[in-house]
Amino acid sequence: MASPTDPTGSSSSASPAAPVRVSAHRPADLDAVRAAVALGVDFVELDVRRCRDGVLVVAHDELVADGARRAPVADLDHATLQRLSPQVPTLAECLHALAGRAGAHVDLKLTSPPHLHDRPEDTWEADAARQVVAAVGEEGALFTSDDTSSVRAVRAWARATGHEALLVGPSLGADPPGPLWRRGLRLLEELLLPGRRLRACDATLVVANEALARLTTERWARRHHLPLLVWTVDDDDELVRWLRSSAWLVTTDRPARALELRR
Protein backbone atom coordinates (compact mmCIF):
# COMPACT_ATOMS: atom_id res chain seq x y z
CA MET A 1 0.00 0.00 0.00
CA ALA A 2 1.43 3.36 -1.00
CA SER A 3 1.81 5.57 2.04
CA PRO A 4 -0.47 8.62 1.99
CA THR A 5 1.69 10.56 4.43
CA ASP A 6 2.60 13.13 1.77
CA PRO A 7 -0.59 13.89 -0.15
CA THR A 8 1.17 16.31 -2.47
CA GLY A 9 3.04 13.40 -3.99
CA SER A 10 6.63 13.76 -2.80
CA SER A 11 8.45 13.81 0.50
CA SER A 12 10.83 16.58 -0.51
CA SER A 13 11.79 18.69 -3.50
CA ALA A 14 14.55 16.19 -4.28
CA SER A 15 12.26 13.15 -4.22
CA PRO A 16 10.45 11.77 -7.26
CA ALA A 17 6.68 12.15 -7.27
CA ALA A 18 4.82 9.23 -5.76
CA PRO A 19 2.47 7.36 -8.09
CA VAL A 20 -1.18 8.36 -8.08
CA ARG A 21 -3.00 6.03 -5.70
CA VAL A 22 -5.77 3.70 -6.89
CA SER A 23 -8.99 3.03 -4.96
CA ALA A 24 -11.27 0.14 -5.93
CA HIS A 25 -14.75 1.59 -6.23
CA ARG A 26 -17.36 0.10 -3.84
CA PRO A 27 -16.88 -3.68 -3.96
CA ALA A 28 -20.23 -5.44 -3.61
CA ASP A 29 -19.41 -7.82 -0.76
CA LEU A 30 -16.62 -9.15 1.45
CA ASP A 31 -15.28 -11.47 -1.28
CA ALA A 32 -15.01 -8.48 -3.62
CA VAL A 33 -13.16 -6.51 -0.95
CA ARG A 34 -10.67 -9.36 -0.58
CA ALA A 35 -10.29 -9.61 -4.35
CA ALA A 36 -9.51 -5.89 -4.58
CA VAL A 37 -6.92 -6.23 -1.82
CA ALA A 38 -5.34 -9.16 -3.69
CA LEU A 39 -4.87 -6.94 -6.74
CA GLY A 40 -2.62 -4.64 -4.73
CA VAL A 41 -4.78 -1.50 -4.72
CA ASP A 42 -3.86 1.31 -2.35
CA PHE A 43 -7.40 1.81 -1.04
CA VAL A 44 -10.76 0.08 -1.17
CA GLU A 45 -13.90 2.20 -1.09
CA LEU A 46 -16.43 1.19 1.56
CA ASP A 47 -19.94 2.67 1.51
CA VAL A 48 -20.77 2.72 5.22
CA ARG A 49 -24.32 2.70 6.56
CA ARG A 50 -25.72 2.34 10.08
CA CYS A 51 -28.31 -0.19 11.15
CA ARG A 52 -31.00 0.82 13.64
CA ASP A 53 -29.10 -0.85 16.48
CA GLY A 54 -25.88 1.01 15.71
CA VAL A 55 -24.03 -1.71 13.79
CA LEU A 56 -22.05 -0.22 10.89
CA VAL A 57 -22.27 -2.13 7.63
CA VAL A 58 -20.88 -1.75 4.11
CA ALA A 59 -23.64 -1.45 1.52
CA HIS A 60 -23.97 0.80 -1.51
CA ASP A 61 -27.76 0.52 -1.75
CA GLU A 62 -29.93 2.32 0.77
CA LEU A 63 -32.74 -0.24 0.43
CA VAL A 64 -32.90 -4.02 0.69
CA ALA A 65 -35.70 -6.35 -0.41
CA ASP A 66 -38.08 -7.35 2.37
CA GLY A 67 -40.76 -9.47 0.75
CA ALA A 68 -42.85 -7.30 -1.54
CA ARG A 69 -41.38 -4.06 -0.21
CA ARG A 70 -37.94 -2.51 0.06
CA ALA A 71 -36.72 -1.46 3.50
CA PRO A 72 -34.05 1.12 4.34
CA VAL A 73 -30.94 -0.37 5.94
CA ALA A 74 -31.19 2.37 8.58
CA ASP A 75 -34.60 1.04 9.71
CA LEU A 76 -33.39 -2.54 10.27
CA ASP A 77 -31.45 -4.04 13.13
CA HIS A 78 -28.38 -5.97 12.06
CA ALA A 79 -29.91 -9.41 12.65
CA THR A 80 -32.82 -8.57 10.35
CA LEU A 81 -30.48 -7.15 7.71
CA GLN A 82 -28.42 -10.35 7.81
CA ARG A 83 -31.57 -12.40 7.31
CA LEU A 84 -32.73 -10.30 4.36
CA SER A 85 -29.35 -9.65 2.76
CA PRO A 86 -26.70 -11.99 4.19
CA GLN A 87 -24.03 -10.85 1.74
CA VAL A 88 -23.85 -7.38 3.37
CA PRO A 89 -20.68 -7.33 5.51
CA THR A 90 -20.08 -5.32 8.63
CA LEU A 91 -17.55 -2.51 8.60
CA ALA A 92 -15.48 -4.49 11.10
CA GLU A 93 -15.28 -7.48 8.75
CA CYS A 94 -14.12 -5.29 5.86
CA LEU A 95 -11.54 -3.52 8.00
CA HIS A 96 -10.15 -6.87 9.11
CA ALA A 97 -9.68 -7.78 5.43
CA LEU A 98 -7.89 -4.47 4.77
CA ALA A 99 -5.65 -4.17 7.83
CA GLY A 100 -1.99 -4.10 6.82
CA ARG A 101 -2.87 -4.67 3.17
CA ALA A 102 -4.79 -1.65 1.84
CA GLY A 103 -6.27 1.59 3.06
CA ALA A 104 -9.94 2.23 3.80
CA HIS A 105 -11.63 4.83 1.61
CA VAL A 106 -14.80 5.34 3.63
CA ASP A 107 -17.75 6.98 1.91
CA LEU A 108 -20.18 7.84 4.69
CA LYS A 109 -23.77 7.05 3.74
CA LEU A 110 -25.00 7.97 7.21
CA THR A 111 -25.74 11.28 8.88
CA SER A 112 -26.20 11.79 12.59
CA PRO A 113 -29.32 13.51 13.94
CA PRO A 114 -28.67 17.27 14.18
CA HIS A 115 -28.60 17.34 17.99
CA LEU A 116 -25.55 15.03 18.07
CA HIS A 117 -23.47 17.48 16.09
CA ASP A 118 -23.18 19.64 19.20
CA ARG A 119 -21.00 16.80 20.57
CA PRO A 120 -18.88 15.59 17.64
CA GLU A 121 -17.40 12.73 19.65
CA ASP A 122 -20.91 11.24 20.00
CA THR A 123 -21.82 11.37 16.31
CA TRP A 124 -22.27 8.28 14.19
CA GLU A 125 -19.56 9.65 11.92
CA ALA A 126 -17.08 9.74 14.81
CA ASP A 127 -18.00 6.15 15.67
CA ALA A 128 -17.09 5.13 12.12
CA ALA A 129 -13.88 7.16 12.22
CA ARG A 130 -12.78 5.57 15.50
CA GLN A 131 -13.26 2.07 14.12
CA VAL A 132 -11.47 2.79 10.87
CA VAL A 133 -8.47 4.58 12.35
CA ALA A 134 -8.08 1.87 15.01
CA ALA A 135 -7.99 -0.81 12.29
CA VAL A 136 -5.89 0.77 9.52
CA GLY A 137 -4.28 3.82 11.14
CA GLU A 138 -4.59 7.48 10.28
CA GLU A 139 -2.39 7.09 7.20
CA GLY A 140 -4.53 4.26 5.86
CA ALA A 141 -7.87 6.05 6.20
CA LEU A 142 -9.75 8.69 4.27
CA PHE A 143 -13.37 9.82 4.55
CA THR A 144 -15.76 11.27 2.00
CA SER A 145 -19.43 12.22 2.21
CA ASP A 146 -22.11 14.01 0.23
CA ASP A 147 -23.19 15.65 3.48
CA THR A 148 -21.22 18.68 4.68
CA SER A 149 -22.25 18.13 8.31
CA SER A 150 -20.77 14.62 8.24
CA VAL A 151 -17.45 15.97 6.99
CA ARG A 152 -17.45 18.59 9.76
CA ALA A 153 -18.19 15.90 12.36
CA VAL A 154 -15.24 13.75 11.31
CA ARG A 155 -12.94 16.76 11.15
CA ALA A 156 -14.02 17.87 14.63
CA TRP A 157 -13.38 14.37 15.98
CA ALA A 158 -9.99 14.26 14.23
CA ARG A 159 -8.91 17.58 15.69
CA ALA A 160 -10.04 16.59 19.20
CA THR A 161 -8.21 13.24 19.11
CA GLY A 162 -4.88 14.30 17.60
CA HIS A 163 -5.61 13.03 14.08
CA GLU A 164 -5.23 16.44 12.48
CA ALA A 165 -3.75 14.97 9.27
CA LEU A 166 -6.73 12.65 8.65
CA LEU A 167 -7.98 13.14 5.09
CA VAL A 168 -11.65 14.13 4.97
CA GLY A 169 -13.62 15.92 2.26
CA PRO A 170 -17.10 16.51 0.79
CA SER A 171 -17.92 14.94 -2.58
CA LEU A 172 -18.08 17.78 -5.10
CA GLY A 173 -20.14 17.09 -8.22
CA ALA A 174 -22.44 14.59 -6.52
CA ASP A 175 -26.18 14.75 -7.28
CA PRO A 176 -27.84 15.56 -3.94
CA PRO A 177 -31.53 15.05 -3.20
CA GLY A 178 -33.82 18.02 -3.47
CA PRO A 179 -35.42 20.23 -6.13
CA LEU A 180 -33.67 20.45 -9.48
CA TRP A 181 -33.02 24.18 -9.11
CA ARG A 182 -31.27 23.68 -5.75
CA ARG A 183 -29.12 20.86 -7.13
CA GLY A 184 -28.21 23.05 -10.09
CA LEU A 185 -27.21 25.96 -7.84
CA ARG A 186 -24.97 23.72 -5.74
CA LEU A 187 -23.27 22.29 -8.80
CA LEU A 188 -22.70 25.80 -10.19
CA GLU A 189 -21.20 26.93 -6.89
CA GLU A 190 -18.92 23.88 -6.76
CA LEU A 191 -17.82 24.55 -10.33
CA LEU A 192 -17.07 28.25 -9.86
CA LEU A 193 -16.24 28.44 -6.14
CA PRO A 194 -15.11 25.01 -4.93
CA GLY A 195 -13.33 26.51 -1.97
CA ARG A 196 -16.54 27.82 -0.37
CA ARG A 197 -17.88 24.37 0.55
CA LEU A 198 -14.43 22.97 1.34
CA ARG A 199 -13.65 25.73 3.81
CA ALA A 200 -17.12 25.51 5.37
CA CYS A 201 -16.44 21.95 6.52
CA ASP A 202 -12.70 22.28 7.28
CA ALA A 203 -11.85 19.77 4.53
CA THR A 204 -8.33 18.37 4.23
CA LEU A 205 -9.09 16.52 0.99
CA VAL A 206 -10.57 17.74 -2.32
CA VAL A 207 -13.00 15.14 -3.68
CA ALA A 208 -14.51 15.70 -7.13
CA ASN A 209 -16.12 13.77 -9.92
CA GLU A 210 -14.09 13.45 -13.07
CA ALA A 211 -15.82 16.18 -15.07
CA LEU A 212 -15.66 18.78 -12.30
CA ALA A 213 -12.03 17.91 -11.55
CA ARG A 214 -11.08 18.40 -15.17
CA LEU A 215 -12.86 21.76 -15.46
CA THR A 216 -11.74 23.54 -12.29
CA THR A 217 -11.07 21.46 -9.21
CA GLU A 218 -7.70 19.99 -10.20
CA ARG A 219 -6.25 23.48 -10.59
CA TRP A 220 -7.86 24.67 -7.34
CA ALA A 221 -6.45 21.74 -5.35
CA ARG A 222 -2.98 22.22 -6.80
CA ARG A 223 -3.06 25.96 -6.09
CA HIS A 224 -4.09 25.38 -2.46
CA HIS A 225 -1.73 22.44 -1.92
CA LEU A 226 -4.48 19.98 -1.04
CA PRO A 227 -4.64 16.34 -2.18
CA LEU A 228 -7.18 15.59 -4.90
CA LEU A 229 -9.37 12.49 -5.11
CA VAL A 230 -11.02 12.01 -8.53
CA TRP A 231 -14.05 9.73 -8.97
CA THR A 232 -15.04 7.55 -10.84
CA VAL A 233 -12.58 7.03 -13.73
CA ASP A 234 -13.03 3.95 -15.93
CA ASP A 235 -12.11 4.86 -19.53
CA ASP A 236 -8.55 3.86 -20.51
CA ASP A 237 -7.63 7.27 -21.88
CA GLU A 238 -9.00 9.03 -18.82
CA LEU A 239 -7.24 6.61 -16.49
CA VAL A 240 -3.94 7.37 -18.20
CA ARG A 241 -4.65 11.11 -18.02
CA TRP A 242 -5.39 11.06 -14.28
CA LEU A 243 -2.68 8.57 -13.38
CA ARG A 244 -0.19 11.02 -14.90
CA SER A 245 -1.76 14.10 -13.32
CA SER A 246 -1.31 15.96 -10.04
CA ALA A 247 -4.17 13.96 -8.50
CA TRP A 248 -3.44 12.08 -5.29
CA LEU A 249 -5.95 9.25 -5.75
CA VAL A 250 -8.24 7.94 -8.49
CA THR A 251 -11.32 5.84 -7.78
CA THR A 252 -12.24 3.30 -10.45
CA ASP A 253 -14.49 0.33 -11.17
CA ARG A 254 -11.52 -1.16 -13.06
CA PRO A 255 -8.76 -1.31 -10.46
CA ALA A 256 -6.83 -4.11 -12.21
CA ARG A 257 -6.67 -2.05 -15.40
CA ALA A 258 -5.72 1.10 -13.48
CA LEU A 259 -2.83 -0.71 -11.78
CA GLU A 260 -1.69 -2.10 -15.14
CA LEU A 261 -1.71 1.36 -16.72
CA ARG A 262 0.10 2.85 -13.74
CA ARG A 263 3.12 0.58 -14.10
mmCIF file of all heavy atoms in Angstrom, residues 57-94:
data_model
loop_
_atom_site.group_PDB
_atom_site.id
_atom_site.type_symbol
_atom_site.label_atom_id
_atom_site.label_comp_id
_atom_site.label_asym_id
_atom_site.label_seq_id
_atom_site.Cartn_x
_atom_site.Cartn_y
_atom_site.Cartn_z
ATOM 1 N N VAL A 57 -22.377 -1.138 8.687
ATOM 2 C CA VAL A 57 -22.268 -2.131 7.630
ATOM 3 C C VAL A 57 -21.799 -1.448 6.351
ATOM 4 O O VAL A 57 -21.824 -0.217 6.231
ATOM 5 C CB VAL A 57 -23.608 -2.853 7.383
ATOM 6 C CG1 VAL A 57 -24.028 -3.643 8.612
ATOM 7 C CG2 VAL A 57 -24.700 -1.870 6.967
ATOM 8 N N VAL A 58 -21.364 -2.261 5.395
ATOM 9 C CA VAL A 58 -20.880 -1.748 4.109
ATOM 10 C C VAL A 58 -21.873 -2.160 3.035
ATOM 11 O O VAL A 58 -21.996 -3.346 2.702
ATOM 12 C CB VAL A 58 -19.471 -2.280 3.801
ATOM 13 C CG1 VAL A 58 -19.029 -1.852 2.407
ATOM 14 C CG2 VAL A 58 -18.488 -1.765 4.853
ATOM 15 N N ALA A 59 -22.606 -1.181 2.513
ATOM 16 C CA ALA A 59 -23.636 -1.447 1.516
ATOM 17 C C ALA A 59 -23.828 -0.205 0.667
ATOM 18 O O ALA A 59 -24.075 0.877 1.208
ATOM 19 C CB ALA A 59 -24.954 -1.836 2.189
ATOM 20 N N HIS A 60 -23.755 -0.360 -0.642
ATOM 21 C CA HIS A 60 -23.973 0.804 -1.508
ATOM 22 C C HIS A 60 -25.444 1.206 -1.525
ATOM 23 O O HIS A 60 -25.782 2.384 -1.464
ATOM 24 C CB HIS A 60 -23.497 0.513 -2.923
ATOM 25 C CG HIS A 60 -23.851 1.610 -3.889
ATOM 26 N ND1 HIS A 60 -23.301 2.868 -3.804
ATOM 27 C CD2 HIS A 60 -24.729 1.637 -4.923
ATOM 28 C CE1 HIS A 60 -23.806 3.635 -4.752
ATOM 29 N NE2 HIS A 60 -24.674 2.916 -5.442
ATOM 30 N N ASP A 61 -26.334 0.219 -1.608
ATOM 31 C CA ASP A 61 -27.757 0.521 -1.755
ATOM 32 C C ASP A 61 -28.380 0.875 -0.413
ATOM 33 O O ASP A 61 -28.140 0.221 0.608
ATOM 34 C CB ASP A 61 -28.489 -0.672 -2.365
ATOM 35 C CG ASP A 61 -28.051 -0.940 -3.804
ATOM 36 O OD1 ASP A 61 -27.614 0.024 -4.465
ATOM 37 O OD2 ASP A 61 -28.135 -2.101 -4.238
ATOM 38 N N GLU A 62 -29.221 1.885 -0.438
ATOM 39 C CA GLU A 62 -29.926 2.317 0.769
ATOM 40 C C GLU A 62 -31.009 1.335 1.173
ATOM 41 O O GLU A 62 -31.322 1.188 2.358
ATOM 42 C CB GLU A 62 -30.553 3.692 0.520
ATOM 43 C CG GLU A 62 -31.360 4.242 1.667
ATOM 44 C CD GLU A 62 -32.043 5.554 1.319
ATOM 45 O OE1 GLU A 62 -31.941 6.001 0.158
ATOM 46 O OE2 GLU A 62 -32.704 6.125 2.215
ATOM 47 N N LEU A 63 -31.600 0.627 0.187
ATOM 48 C CA LEU A 63 -32.739 -0.241 0.426
ATOM 49 C C LEU A 63 -32.382 -1.698 0.172
ATOM 50 O O LEU A 63 -31.559 -2.004 -0.693
ATOM 51 C CB LEU A 63 -33.905 0.149 -0.498
ATOM 52 C CG LEU A 63 -34.375 1.613 -0.434
ATOM 53 C CD1 LEU A 63 -35.423 1.867 -1.504
ATOM 54 C CD2 LEU A 63 -34.919 1.964 0.942
ATOM 55 N N VAL A 64 -33.026 -2.590 0.929
ATOM 56 C CA VAL A 64 -32.904 -4.025 0.686
ATOM 57 C C VAL A 64 -34.305 -4.616 0.562
ATOM 58 O O VAL A 64 -35.272 -4.084 1.126
ATOM 59 C CB VAL A 64 -32.128 -4.748 1.818
ATOM 60 C CG1 VAL A 64 -30.700 -4.249 1.898
ATOM 61 C CG2 VAL A 64 -32.826 -4.573 3.162
ATOM 62 N N ALA A 65 -34.409 -5.710 -0.195
ATOM 63 C CA ALA A 65 -35.704 -6.347 -0.408
ATOM 64 C C ALA A 65 -36.179 -7.009 0.878
ATOM 65 O O ALA A 65 -35.438 -7.734 1.541
ATOM 66 C CB ALA A 65 -35.599 -7.372 -1.526
ATOM 67 N N ASP A 66 -37.435 -6.738 1.208
ATOM 68 C CA ASP A 66 -38.084 -7.353 2.370
ATOM 69 C C ASP A 66 -39.472 -7.799 1.921
ATOM 70 O O ASP A 66 -40.455 -7.079 2.078
ATOM 71 C CB ASP A 66 -38.170 -6.356 3.525
ATOM 72 C CG ASP A 66 -38.798 -6.957 4.779
ATOM 73 O OD1 ASP A 66 -39.004 -8.183 4.797
ATOM 74 O OD2 ASP A 66 -39.061 -6.204 5.726
ATOM 75 N N GLY A 67 -39.517 -8.996 1.333
ATOM 76 C CA GLY A 67 -40.762 -9.471 0.753
ATOM 77 C C GLY A 67 -41.144 -8.621 -0.438
ATOM 78 O O GLY A 67 -40.341 -8.398 -1.353
ATOM 79 N N ALA A 68 -42.362 -8.104 -0.415
ATOM 80 C CA ALA A 68 -42.851 -7.303 -1.537
ATOM 81 C C ALA A 68 -42.410 -5.846 -1.456
ATOM 82 O O ALA A 68 -42.618 -5.075 -2.392
ATOM 83 C CB ALA A 68 -44.377 -7.378 -1.591
ATOM 84 N N ARG A 69 -41.805 -5.451 -0.343
ATOM 85 C CA ARG A 69 -41.382 -4.057 -0.206
ATOM 86 C C ARG A 69 -39.866 -3.969 -0.113
ATOM 87 O O ARG A 69 -39.174 -4.973 -0.072
ATOM 88 C CB ARG A 69 -42.009 -3.436 1.045
ATOM 89 C CG ARG A 69 -41.433 -3.976 2.350
ATOM 90 C CD ARG A 69 -42.147 -3.434 3.565
ATOM 91 N NE ARG A 69 -41.475 -3.822 4.800
ATOM 92 C CZ ARG A 69 -40.649 -3.047 5.490
ATOM 93 N NH1 ARG A 69 -40.399 -1.809 5.069
ATOM 94 N NH2 ARG A 69 -40.077 -3.479 6.612
ATOM 95 N N ARG A 70 -39.377 -2.749 -0.106
ATOM 96 C CA ARG A 70 -37.944 -2.508 0.063
ATOM 97 C C ARG A 70 -37.754 -1.651 1.302
ATOM 98 O O ARG A 70 -38.406 -0.616 1.455
ATOM 99 C CB ARG A 70 -37.351 -1.829 -1.175
ATOM 100 C CG ARG A 70 -37.363 -2.759 -2.391
ATOM 101 C CD ARG A 70 -36.864 -2.079 -3.655
ATOM 102 N NE ARG A 70 -35.465 -1.698 -3.568
ATOM 103 C CZ ARG A 70 -34.447 -2.544 -3.696
ATOM 104 N NH1 ARG A 70 -34.673 -3.832 -3.896
ATOM 105 N NH2 ARG A 70 -33.202 -2.124 -3.628
ATOM 106 N N ALA A 71 -36.892 -2.121 2.201
ATOM 107 C CA ALA A 71 -36.722 -1.462 3.497
ATOM 108 C C ALA A 71 -35.378 -0.757 3.563
ATOM 109 O O ALA A 71 -34.368 -1.303 3.102
ATOM 110 C CB ALA A 71 -36.816 -2.502 4.616
ATOM 111 N N PRO A 72 -35.333 0.441 4.141
ATOM 112 C CA PRO A 72 -34.047 1.115 4.337
ATOM 113 C C PRO A 72 -33.169 0.354 5.328
ATOM 114 O O PRO A 72 -33.656 -0.125 6.357
ATOM 115 C CB PRO A 72 -34.440 2.487 4.905
ATOM 116 C CG PRO A 72 -35.877 2.659 4.571
ATOM 117 C CD PRO A 72 -36.468 1.282 4.575
ATOM 118 N N VAL A 73 -31.886 0.257 5.016
ATOM 119 C CA VAL A 73 -30.937 -0.365 5.937
ATOM 120 C C VAL A 73 -31.015 0.303 7.303
ATOM 121 O O VAL A 73 -30.957 -0.363 8.343
ATOM 122 C CB VAL A 73 -29.504 -0.280 5.369
ATOM 123 C CG1 VAL A 73 -28.471 -0.709 6.402
ATOM 124 C CG2 VAL A 73 -29.380 -1.127 4.105
ATOM 125 N N ALA A 74 -31.179 1.613 7.323
ATOM 126 C CA ALA A 74 -31.188 2.369 8.582
ATOM 127 C C ALA A 74 -32.362 2.005 9.475
ATOM 128 O O ALA A 74 -32.324 2.268 10.687
ATOM 129 C CB ALA A 74 -31.202 3.865 8.285
ATOM 130 N N ASP A 75 -33.417 1.394 8.912
ATOM 131 C CA ASP A 75 -34.596 1.039 9.710
ATOM 132 C C ASP A 75 -34.539 -0.388 10.243
ATOM 133 O O ASP A 75 -35.457 -0.821 10.952
ATOM 134 C CB ASP A 75 -35.867 1.197 8.871
ATOM 135 C CG ASP A 75 -36.188 2.651 8.565
ATOM 136 O OD1 ASP A 75 -35.561 3.541 9.188
ATOM 137 O OD2 ASP A 75 -37.062 2.892 7.716
ATOM 138 N N LEU A 76 -33.488 -1.132 9.897
ATOM 139 C CA LEU A 76 -33.393 -2.539 10.272
ATOM 140 C C LEU A 76 -32.320 -2.741 11.332
ATOM 141 O O LEU A 76 -31.275 -2.083 11.284
ATOM 142 C CB LEU A 76 -33.029 -3.386 9.045
ATOM 143 C CG LEU A 76 -33.943 -3.268 7.818
ATOM 144 C CD1 LEU A 76 -33.345 -4.023 6.649
ATOM 145 C CD2 LEU A 76 -35.343 -3.782 8.145
ATOM 146 N N ASP A 77 -32.563 -3.652 12.275
ATOM 147 C CA ASP A 77 -31.454 -4.043 13.128
ATOM 148 C C ASP A 77 -30.557 -4.998 12.345
ATOM 149 O O ASP A 77 -30.940 -5.506 11.281
ATOM 150 C CB ASP A 77 -31.937 -4.652 14.443
ATOM 151 C CG ASP A 77 -32.790 -5.895 14.248
ATOM 152 O OD1 ASP A 77 -32.452 -6.752 13.406
ATOM 153 O OD2 ASP A 77 -33.809 -6.024 14.939
ATOM 154 N N HIS A 78 -29.346 -5.221 12.838
ATOM 155 C CA HIS A 78 -28.378 -5.975 12.060
ATOM 156 C C HIS A 78 -28.828 -7.413 11.828
ATOM 157 O O HIS A 78 -28.621 -7.967 10.739
ATOM 158 C CB HIS A 78 -27.007 -5.955 12.742
ATOM 159 C CG HIS A 78 -25.962 -6.644 11.938
ATOM 160 N ND1 HIS A 78 -25.303 -7.783 12.364
ATOM 161 C CD2 HIS A 78 -25.471 -6.374 10.699
ATOM 162 C CE1 HIS A 78 -24.451 -8.173 11.438
ATOM 163 N NE2 HIS A 78 -24.535 -7.341 10.419
ATOM 164 N N ALA A 79 -29.459 -8.034 12.818
ATOM 165 C CA ALA A 79 -29.914 -9.409 12.650
ATOM 166 C C ALA A 79 -30.928 -9.519 11.514
ATOM 167 O O ALA A 79 -30.884 -10.464 10.706
ATOM 168 C CB ALA A 79 -30.517 -9.923 13.956
ATOM 169 N N THR A 80 -31.833 -8.553 11.431
ATOM 170 C CA THR A 80 -32.824 -8.566 10.350
ATOM 171 C C THR A 80 -32.157 -8.330 9.006
ATOM 172 O O THR A 80 -32.482 -8.985 8.004
ATOM 173 C CB THR A 80 -33.903 -7.497 10.606
ATOM 174 O OG1 THR A 80 -34.507 -7.727 11.870
ATOM 175 C CG2 THR A 80 -34.956 -7.521 9.516
ATOM 176 N N LEU A 81 -31.204 -7.397 8.954
ATOM 177 C CA LEU A 81 -30.476 -7.146 7.706
ATOM 178 C C LEU A 81 -29.757 -8.409 7.243
ATOM 179 O O LEU A 81 -29.779 -8.749 6.053
ATOM 180 C CB LEU A 81 -29.478 -6.008 7.896
ATOM 181 C CG LEU A 81 -28.570 -5.717 6.692
ATOM 182 C CD1 LEU A 81 -29.374 -5.263 5.491
ATOM 183 C CD2 LEU A 81 -27.507 -4.676 7.058
ATOM 184 N N GLN A 82 -29.128 -9.121 8.168
ATOM 185 C CA GLN A 82 -28.422 -10.347 7.807
ATOM 186 C C GLN A 82 -29.381 -11.397 7.259
ATOM 187 O O GLN A 82 -29.025 -12.153 6.344
ATOM 188 C CB GLN A 82 -27.692 -10.909 9.032
ATOM 189 C CG GLN A 82 -26.424 -10.166 9.367
ATOM 190 C CD GLN A 82 -25.376 -10.308 8.277
ATOM 191 O OE1 GLN A 82 -25.272 -9.480 7.383
ATOM 192 N NE2 GLN A 82 -24.608 -11.378 8.337
ATOM 193 N N ARG A 83 -30.580 -11.446 7.809
ATOM 194 C CA ARG A 83 -31.569 -12.405 7.306
ATOM 195 C C ARG A 83 -32.026 -12.036 5.896
ATOM 196 O O ARG A 83 -32.161 -12.907 5.030
ATOM 197 C CB ARG A 83 -32.770 -12.452 8.251
ATOM 198 C CG ARG A 83 -33.894 -13.367 7.785
ATOM 199 C CD ARG A 83 -34.988 -13.465 8.822
ATOM 200 N NE ARG A 83 -35.557 -12.181 9.182
ATOM 201 C CZ ARG A 83 -36.478 -11.532 8.457
ATOM 202 N NH1 ARG A 83 -36.897 -12.043 7.310
ATOM 203 N NH2 ARG A 83 -36.959 -10.389 8.876
ATOM 204 N N LEU A 84 -32.229 -10.748 5.660
ATOM 205 C CA LEU A 84 -32.730 -10.304 4.362
ATOM 206 C C LEU A 84 -31.639 -10.232 3.310
ATOM 207 O O LEU A 84 -31.893 -10.482 2.116
ATOM 208 C CB LEU A 84 -33.376 -8.921 4.508
ATOM 209 C CG LEU A 84 -34.613 -8.824 5.390
ATOM 210 C CD1 LEU A 84 -35.044 -7.373 5.521
ATOM 211 C CD2 LEU A 84 -35.746 -9.677 4.826
ATOM 212 N N SER A 85 -30.438 -9.867 3.716
ATOM 213 C CA SER A 85 -29.347 -9.646 2.762
ATOM 214 C C SER A 85 -28.039 -10.118 3.383
ATOM 215 O O SER A 85 -27.191 -9.319 3.798
ATOM 216 C CB SER A 85 -29.282 -8.146 2.420
ATOM 217 O OG SER A 85 -28.470 -7.897 1.315
ATOM 218 N N PRO A 86 -27.844 -11.440 3.450
ATOM 219 C CA PRO A 86 -26.696 -11.992 4.187
ATOM 220 C C PRO A 86 -25.336 -11.647 3.599
ATOM 221 O O PRO A 86 -24.322 -11.781 4.275
ATOM 222 C CB PRO A 86 -26.949 -13.505 4.143
ATOM 223 C CG PRO A 86 -27.895 -13.720 3.012
ATOM 224 C CD PRO A 86 -28.745 -12.499 2.931
ATOM 225 N N GLN A 87 -25.313 -11.181 2.347
ATOM 226 C CA GLN A 87 -24.029 -10.846 1.737
ATOM 227 C C GLN A 87 -23.492 -9.495 2.197
ATOM 228 O O GLN A 87 -22.337 -9.155 1.916
ATOM 229 C CB GLN A 87 -24.142 -10.845 0.203
ATOM 230 C CG GLN A 87 -24.819 -9.625 -0.408
ATOM 231 C CD GLN A 87 -26.333 -9.678 -0.362
ATOM 232 O OE1 GLN A 87 -26.918 -10.576 0.248
ATOM 233 N NE2 GLN A 87 -26.975 -8.723 -1.017
ATOM 234 N N VAL A 88 -24.297 -8.697 2.908
ATOM 235 C CA VAL A 88 -23.850 -7.378 3.365
ATOM 236 C C VAL A 88 -22.903 -7.557 4.546
ATOM 237 O O VAL A 88 -23.307 -8.043 5.604
ATOM 238 C CB VAL A 88 -25.046 -6.493 3.760
ATOM 239 C CG1 VAL A 88 -24.560 -5.194 4.399
ATOM 240 C CG2 VAL A 88 -25.911 -6.193 2.547
ATOM 241 N N PRO A 89 -21.626 -7.153 4.409
ATOM 242 C CA PRO A 89 -20.680 -7.331 5.514
ATOM 243 C C PRO A 89 -20.746 -6.175 6.502
ATOM 244 O O PRO A 89 -21.236 -5.083 6.190
ATOM 245 C CB PRO A 89 -19.330 -7.338 4.802
ATOM 246 C CG PRO A 89 -19.539 -6.442 3.615
ATOM 247 C CD PRO A 89 -20.979 -6.622 3.201
ATOM 248 N N THR A 90 -20.241 -6.414 7.682
ATOM 249 C CA THR A 90 -20.080 -5.322 8.635
ATOM 250 C C THR A 90 -18.823 -4.531 8.275
ATOM 251 O O THR A 90 -17.922 -5.026 7.581
ATOM 252 C CB THR A 90 -19.944 -5.837 10.072
ATOM 253 O OG1 THR A 90 -18.753 -6.623 10.168
ATOM 254 C CG2 THR A 90 -21.153 -6.660 10.475
ATOM 255 N N LEU A 91 -18.764 -3.310 8.773
ATOM 256 C CA LEU A 91 -17.554 -2.514 8.599
ATOM 257 C C LEU A 91 -16.367 -3.217 9.237
ATOM 258 O O LEU A 91 -15.273 -3.248 8.668
ATOM 259 C CB LEU A 91 -17.752 -1.126 9.206
ATOM 260 C CG LEU A 91 -16.519 -0.214 9.216
ATOM 261 C CD1 LEU A 91 -16.023 0.062 7.810
ATOM 262 C CD2 LEU A 91 -16.831 1.090 9.962
ATOM 263 N N ALA A 92 -16.571 -3.807 10.408
ATOM 264 C CA ALA A 92 -15.476 -4.489 11.104
ATOM 265 C C ALA A 92 -14.906 -5.628 10.269
ATOM 266 O O ALA A 92 -13.684 -5.822 10.221
ATOM 267 C CB ALA A 92 -15.969 -5.013 12.450
ATOM 268 N N GLU A 93 -15.761 -6.390 9.596
ATOM 269 C CA GLU A 93 -15.281 -7.483 8.745
ATOM 270 C C GLU A 93 -14.435 -6.954 7.591
ATOM 271 O O GLU A 93 -13.379 -7.526 7.260
ATOM 272 C CB GLU A 93 -16.466 -8.277 8.201
ATOM 273 C CG GLU A 93 -17.180 -9.116 9.239
ATOM 274 C CD GLU A 93 -18.456 -9.729 8.718
ATOM 275 O OE1 GLU A 93 -19.145 -9.099 7.871
ATOM 276 O OE2 GLU A 93 -18.787 -10.856 9.154
ATOM 277 N N CYS A 94 -14.879 -5.873 6.979
ATOM 278 C CA CYS A 94 -14.124 -5.293 5.856
ATOM 279 C C CYS A 94 -12.788 -4.733 6.334
ATOM 280 O O CYS A 94 -11.760 -4.894 5.659
ATOM 281 C CB CYS A 94 -14.947 -4.211 5.174
ATOM 282 S SG CYS A 94 -16.384 -4.836 4.277
#
